[in-house]
């Protein structure tokens, strides 16, 4: 049974803050799976040095098969999430190719679930990560779950990524740079999926002025583009999606 809305987010984030190593993250991801009542939770990332790390609840047999068949090349979840900043429901991805359908059939056979939701994450120096939950249930039950827990999962994903970066060997802590109140407003609305036109209308400013705020925030955050700026602002706790 998928958990209801009474999930204790604060308790989990406090535990995540105290995590001291990768093994601790693994225990926390197992705890999250049990608390929200899904089949699997997985966090997989590539470090700034190109090394791959991961923790999650997928069966070892599936992980070995995934590597052996080089499914990374055709996995619609990885391919789809790499092209966007926004969270993705797996049903909205392109599963039309024969290879993608074969991959999905294999995944379901290994208990991964017929439903999934992934949050793409980006960090410094090209770091890319995915935070995913999956489950076997009806479309209706999954829609109710994602509607209830979407914001919680996004927040946990970014906190998880931040902690993983801090635990990455040899990495210096990130220093948060203050954004102005208006820059916070702009970046927050963009993180919530507003278009630039919608942000400008909501804040009652021109799109030219909006571009100025976006560029200023990007420079302060040392980001290469707007999506990177949004990701860094969330990871550093400068904005919170509510």
């Amino acid at each position: 049974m998928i958990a209801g809305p009474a999930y204790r987010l604060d308790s989990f984030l406090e535990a995540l803050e105290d995590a001291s190593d990768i093994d601790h993250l693994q225990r926390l991801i197992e705890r999250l799976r049990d608390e929200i009542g899904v089949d699997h939770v997985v966090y997989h990332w590539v470090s700034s040095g190109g090394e791959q790390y991961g923790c999650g609840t997928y069966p070892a047999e599936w992980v070995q098969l995934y590597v052996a068949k080089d499914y990374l090349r055709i996995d619609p979840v990885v391919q789809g999430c790499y092209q966007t900043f926004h969270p993705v429901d797996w049903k909205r991805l392109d599963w039309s190719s024969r290879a993608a359908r074969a991959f999905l059939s294999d995944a379901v056979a290994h208990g991964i679930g017929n439903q999934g939701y992934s949050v793409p994450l980006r960090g410094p120096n090209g770091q890319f990560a995915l935070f995913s939950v999956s489950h076997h249930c009806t479309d209706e039950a999954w829609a109710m779950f994602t509607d209830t827990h979407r914001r919680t999962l996004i927040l946990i994903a970014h906190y998880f990524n931040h902690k993983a970066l801090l635990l990455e060997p040899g990495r210096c802590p990130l220093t948060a740079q203050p954004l102005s109140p208006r820059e916070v407003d702009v970046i927050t609305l963009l993180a919530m999926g507003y278009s630039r036109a919608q942000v400008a209308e909501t804040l009652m400013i021109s799109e030219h002025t909006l571009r100025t705020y976006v560029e200023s925030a990007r420079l302060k955050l040392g980001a290469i583009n707007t999506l990177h700026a949004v990701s860094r602002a969330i990871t550093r706790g400068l904005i919170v999606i509510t």
Side-chain angles (χ1 to χ4, degrees), residues 14-191:
E14 287 175 6
L16 183 57
E17 182 69 24
D18 292 336
S20 57
D21 54 34
I22 301 302
D23 289 339
H24 198 162
L25 291 182
Q26 174 64 31
R27 293 193 296 273
L28 283 173
I29 217 164
E30 292 170 3
R31 167 183 163 181
L32 180 64
R33 173 201 59 191
D34 296 340
E35 288 183 352
I36 63 176
V38 294
D39 290 338
H40 295 292
V41 182
V42 172
Y43 176 63
H44 174 254
W45 74 99
V46 180
S47 75
S48 57
E51 294 183 82
Q52 295 189 55
Y53 302 86
C55 55
T57 64
Y58 286 164
E61 182 183 356
W62 168 246
V63 175
Q64 293 166 4
L65 183 67
Y66 189 98
V67 173
K69 290 194 173 184
D70 197 18
Y71 272 150
L72 184 66
R73 295 184 304 105
I74 62 172
D75 186 345
V77 177
V78 174
Q79 303 304 321
C81 287
Y82 194 74
Q83 301 175 42
T84 184
F85 168 79
H86 303 295
V88 175
D89 190 300
W90 292 2
K91 291 193 299 295
R92 298 182 181 179
L93 297 169
D94 183 6
W95 300 92
S96 60
S97 73
R98 180 178 298 178
R101 292 195 301 272
F103 167 78
L104 179 60
S105 178
D106 245 357
V108 171
H110 283 81
I112 303 308
N114 64 325
Q115 309 283 357
Y117 187 83
S118 292
V119 181
L121 302 152
R122 290 171 175 81
N125 303 316
Q127 184 248 7
F128 173 73
L130 279 179
F131 187 90
S132 302
V133 295
S134 62
H135 195 63
H136 190 277
C137 63
T138 65
D139 288 350
E140 292 76 12
W142 190 247
M144 183 176 299
F145 171 80
T146 53
D147 284 347
T148 301
H149 294 286
R150 177 177 57 86
R151 291 184 178 88
T152 296
L153 292 172
I154 293 171
L155 186 60
I156 289 175
H158 284 281
Y159 270 81
F160 226 97
N161 196 52
H162 179 65
K163 175 56 71 169
L165 287 172
L166 291 177
L167 294 176
E168 183 185 355
R171 176 160 184 79
C172 298
L174 298 173
T175 302
Q177 300 181 42
L179 300 178
S180 72
R182 186 56 93 186
E183 289 165 353
V184 169
D185 291 340
V186 167
I187 297 299
T188 299
L189 291 174
L190 290 173

Side-chain angles (χ1 to χ4, degrees), residues 155 158-159 162 176 184 230-240:
L155 186 60
H158 284 281
Y159 270 81
H162 179 65
V184 169
V230 171
S231 179
R232 282 197 163 185
I234 294 175
T235 300
R236 298 182 185 186
L238 301 179
I239 65 171
V240 175

Side-chain angles (χ1 to χ4, degrees), residues 221-234:
L221 293 166
I224 59 176
N225 54 37
T226 302
L227 292 181
H228 193 195
V230 171
S231 179
R232 282 197 163 185
I234 294 175

